[in-house]
Amino acid sequence: MSPELLLWFPEAFEPDSRSLIRALGLELVEVAESDARRFALNLVSDERTVTMTDRAPRVAALLRARGLTVVELPTAQLAKGGGGVRCTALTLHPAP
């Protein structure tokens, strides 16, 4: 089984936190600061489909290259308020 994928912008974390994240055994993919500033990491995924901003085409291409389906939504107005796709989602989990 391949490790889980984690997109991240390492400079958003303190050095100790970066070390902890690197030790998790995940496949880490760094995202450029310009994409992070466009809320590229503020996305929703069900492990097959990723719903994200249309303002980060490099990240969308990276995800597609890994076999994921990517849905890009226009988020310019949402970004004006400091939000992204994840801010509009409610994750539901089945009852135990």
Side-chain angles (χ1 to χ4, degrees):
M1 175 187 258
S2 62
E4 291 185 47
L5 177 67
L6 178 70
L7 300 177
W8 73 320
F9 177 59
E11 288 76 21
F13 299 91
E14 295 291 329
D16 288 345
S17 296
R18 286 194 292 260
S19 294
L20 289 171
I21 291 169
R22 287 186 176 109
L24 292 174
L26 304 173
E27 179 185 355
L28 299 176
V29 177
E30 293 187 21
V31 171
E33 180 177 359
S34 58
D35 288 324
R37 288 185 179 276
R38 290 186 198 106
F39 298 96
L41 301 175
N42 189 308
L43 53 79
V44 178
S45 173
D46 67 1
E47 298 181 15
R48 292 179 308 263
T49 302
V50 177
T51 305
M52 61 176 289
T53 183
D54 64 352
R55 300 168 33 123
R58 289 180 295 206
V59 174
L62 181 149
L63 294 168
R64 285 188 180 103
R66 284 175 165 69
L68 296 163
T69 300
V70 178
V71 178
E72 296 175 80
L73 301 176
T75 60
Q77 294 301 313
L78 186 58
K80 288 179 183 179
V85 171
R86 180 74 189 159
C87 298
T88 66
L90 171 63
T91 303
L92 301 175
H93 300 281

